Amino acid sequence: MALLELRNITAGYGQNIILKDFDLSVEKGEFVSLLGSSGCGKTTCLRMIAGFSEPMAGSILFDGKDYTHVPLHKRNFGFVFQSYALFPHLTVFDNVAFGLKMRKLDKAIIRKEVMHMLKVVDLEGFEQRFPREMSGGQRQRVALARALVIKPDLLMFDEPLSNLDAKLRVKMRVEIRRLQQEMGFTAIYVTHDQEECFAISDKVAIMNGGVIEQMDSPSEIYNHPKTEFIARFVGFENFFDLTRTGERAFTLPSGAQVNTRFDHAGACKGCIRPGDIAVYPAGADVPNAIAGRVQVCTFLGQRKQLNVATDIGEFVVSTDQSQVFSAGEAVTLSLAANKIIPID
Amino acid sequence: MKQKKNRIWLLLILPGTLFITVFMLIPLFSLCLTSFFPDQSFSFSSYLKLFGDVYFQQTFLRSIRLSLLSTLLCALLGYPTAYYISKHSRHKGVMMALAVFPMFTSPVVRSFSWMVILGKRGIVNNFLVWSGLFAKPQDLLYNEFSMTVGFVQLFLPQMILSLIGVMDNISDDLTLAAGNLGATRLGSFFHVVLPLSVSGLVTGSVLVFTGCMTAYTTPQLLGGADTRVLSTMVYQYAMSLRDWTQASVVAVVMIAVTMLISSLFSRISRKINPVA
């Protein structure tokens, strides 16, 4: 049974419904990311799990117990805020010790735990500093230590790296992943940065309009997107209809034959990334050929992007710098059979 | 280049500095001088005479007592109000306008209103007699009670405004973080909201205390002959007794006490929240 389960959740503010019939389940020890553009409901979802707000309908189960109406201070969950939310009037030590003090632990134990955690996040010697005397990355680590020191049953991150510069962001996400694997905590991570969440997570749930479109491992999402939305999200730019004619054989609406590595009863939609299409001079005898004419040629540094008009619409193709094509030139496109992916 | 820039800045602060020097610092200084030169030579005699006077001692203590009491009441009444307006109110603008509305009327008008309300035939006494709590109308006017009521009403908006200013800057994430770390609502109030709003409480208290110490109309109109405070005493010395030296001595004492207690407030604030 899953550690955390959200069932049929409806949530929002007043008339504004953000999540409807929302389900999510997280296994113990998993690092799950909620990925989506702003307004897709990912932060609403996270704050509800933390207990900052209650769902309008549905239930939250944690470890088999109903947590829907458990007040936030009774859930042993850690939360790392986008703004860090460090207490400005307390020193680093007191910030980290806050959760332990609320649990009324012995002073000596608090001291030991806090010092240990500060060592873990590499902030030894900073105990007496105030948050405003520290850099963004250091504050981030204080926030992390403060959330970790209470040994939370679940740790939540709300876009924790978005206020850091690009270099630090990469460093910190490796750090977070390392800590998670060392300590084995269960984590839910909210972000709008695809690279960040693919790098850090066991599973990624991509959200769109209050719904999880797909929840899978990063490589599964990258290689086998299930919907057009996800496919576009992970870099597929060419979409076309396929009609089955035989085993792993389809026709395009233009009549051209295409062989694939998958099979699908009846009709379906297929898609392919720009980099998985090869370009040849017109009339070349190549597998999965589509005839077209170059519309635009754009220089992208290492690669060149061609927009090619065909009978079944425009194809975006990414080619090697060495290949020279000019606008208006007739070409033949060859789709790599193993790179064509079916979507719903 | 830098020199030139500095001179332009000097020009900017010159008018204000001049005004304050001419109309405040110089008069204050001469006031101090007057108080130390009762008969053309330097002496503390005026001060010794004043502090030896039982009537002054009573007035002095009454001034401080009433000001402190009013400050405390303003804090107790203002804090929950400000907290509500800042954190829970949906119509913040309207609520704030209501809170500061009394500031639009003059203290004279307000004092007269209190006379109507608290008088022998005022609505408060009418209610007390009607409800049977008291057989006869009570003396609610011209005493420390009516003065305190007047002070609190006069300065409560200042307290509320300073508190709202500070509370608006306390992010909701901080209270959520406290709750998330295991603090109850009360716990997160005492550990987070209160320490972070202490600076507003102190600013408000300094404003209210200074206001009460220096207010003249309210104690003059709502106080009685035997409830003089320092400000009314200054007037009495200067205008009724024509004793300008004693008047200036009382004035200097007033300023000194106000500054002393204000700095005490700030010191307490720094103890509780060293960052603000």
Side-chain angles (χ1 to χ4, degrees), chain B residues 79 170 188-199 201 272:
Chain B
Y79 199 93
I170 303 176
S188 68
F189 174 79
F190 280 109
H191 287 103
V192 177
V193 179
L194 190 60
L196 288 177
S197 53
V198 156
S199 63
L201 206 53
I272 300 176

Side-chain angles (χ1 to χ4, degrees), chain A residues 255-267:
Chain A
Q257 286 292 318
V258 170
N259 292 303
T260 61
R261 291 292 161 83
F262 64 87
D263 215 343
H264 197 285

